[in-house]
Amino acid sequence: MIYPIVAYGDPVLKKAAQEIKKEEFDPKLIDDMFETMYNAGGIGLAAPQIGKSIRLFIADASPLEDETIADFKKVFINPTIIEEFGEDWGYEEGCLSIPGIRGEVIRPSKLKIHYFDEQWNEHTHEFDGMPARIIQHEYDHIEGVLFIEYLSSLRKQLLKTKLLNISKGDVDTRYRMKFSKK
Ligand code: NI
């Protein structure tokens, strides 16, 4: 099932998400999230972006066609970033919830994360480069943070009208979205 992507302006995107209880979790949601992400052409998707305020995100970097990250396809349940380290680097980020807007965000290049996979196996792994970048962006989603919050206040000011238009549904996407202010 393909969910509509929740657009900027919806309070669910600004809320810290809840821990998932294994016994209450329907694993079909993971398949639905992958289907939703592929349909929208994304490389990462967090549960709040389909309106569910739970600590779950998925990633698949294969559309980037970067052979150094060939099989970065993962599910992160109840993740905790333990530490971020390495050199800071800038990358032009975008977000399925904020279509048409991109902006350079500076983040540390490496991180260590504790999480459960789709089989509820526990992992503590280090990631760097693009996988780390995708994880940081998606992890922010479950903490209620959007990448545009890292942009300069001038840049944010310049994006104000565009953002307002997105929240009102005045935006064109090839995937279905859900607008809170429409
Ligand atoms: Ni995003």
Side-chain angles (χ1 to χ4, degrees), residues 44 49 94-97 137-138 141 146-147:
Q49 293 182 277
C95 182
L96 294 176
S97 294
H137 179 109
E138 300 310 327
H141 273 302
L146 298 170
F147 83 91

Side-chain angles (χ1 to χ4, degrees), residues 8-49:
Y8 171 84
D10 193 304
V12 76
L13 297 175
K14 295 294 299 161
K15 216 162 85 177
Q18 295 293 309
E19 285 277 312
I20 296 172
K21 291 194 184 80
K22 189 180 176 181
E23 58 281 7
E24 291 170 9
F25 182 66
D26 181 0
K28 189 185 176 289
L29 186 62
I30 291 169
D31 297 334
D32 290 344
M33 280 180 67
F34 274 107
E35 203 184 341
T36 300
M37 181 178 77
Y38 293 139
N39 177 66
I43 54 173
L45 184 70
Q49 293 182 277

Side-chain angles (χ1 to χ4, degrees), residues 2-171:
I2 295 173
Y3 283 87
I5 306 267
V6 171
Y8 171 84
D10 193 304
V12 76
L13 297 175
K14 295 294 299 161
K15 216 162 85 177
Q18 295 293 309
E19 285 277 312
I20 296 172
K21 291 194 184 80
K22 189 180 176 181
E23 58 281 7
E24 291 170 9
F25 182 66
D26 181 0
K28 189 185 176 289
L29 186 62
I30 291 169
D31 297 334
D32 290 344
M33 280 180 67
F34 274 107
E35 203 184 341
T36 300
M37 181 178 77
Y38 293 139
N39 177 66
I43 54 173
L45 184 70
Q49 293 182 277
I50 57 161
K52 299 189 184 296
S53 194
I54 53 173
R55 296 182 70 82
L56 163 66
F57 62 83
I58 59 165
D60 184 354
S62 53
L64 293 175
E65 291 179 359
D66 177 341
E67 59 277 11
T68 63
I69 48 167
D71 18 281
F72 181 65
K73 178 183 175 182
K74 287 198 188 305
V75 173
F76 295 84
I77 298 173
N78 291 342
T80 307
I81 290 183
I82 297 162
E83 60 170 328
E84 292 179 293
F85 53 103
E87 267 174 52
D88 286 351
W89 67 300
Y91 183 80
E92 187 100 338
E93 294 187 20
C95 182
L96 294 176
S97 294
I98 319 171
I101 293 181
R102 301 192 70 86
E104 196 188 57
V105 181
I106 312 281
R107 300 184 192 263
S109 61
K110 300 177 185 183
L111 60 83
K112 189 192 241 185
I113 188 168
H114 175 259
Y115 66 99
F116 296 85
D117 65 21
E118 61 273 40
Q119 269 92 45
W120 287 88
N121 295 315
E122 198 171 351
H123 302 273
T124 303
H125 274 167
E126 282 185 20
F127 293 94
D128 67 359
M130 274 311 293
R133 172 65 60 154
I134 297 168
I135 290 168
Q136 288 160 329
H137 179 109
E138 300 310 327
Y139 189 83
D140 272 353
H141 273 302
I142 62 170
E143 295 287 322
V145 176
L146 298 170
F147 83 91
I148 49 171
E149 292 169 47
Y150 297 105
L151 305 178
S152 69
S153 47
L154 173 65
R155 187 77 212 289
K156 272 186 265 191
Q157 193 59 35
L158 292 170
L159 289 174
K160 228 174 164 181
T161 309
K162 251 184 159 177
L163 288 170
L164 186 64
N165 287 343
I166 292 172
S167 70
K168 290 192 295 193
D170 189 6
V171 63

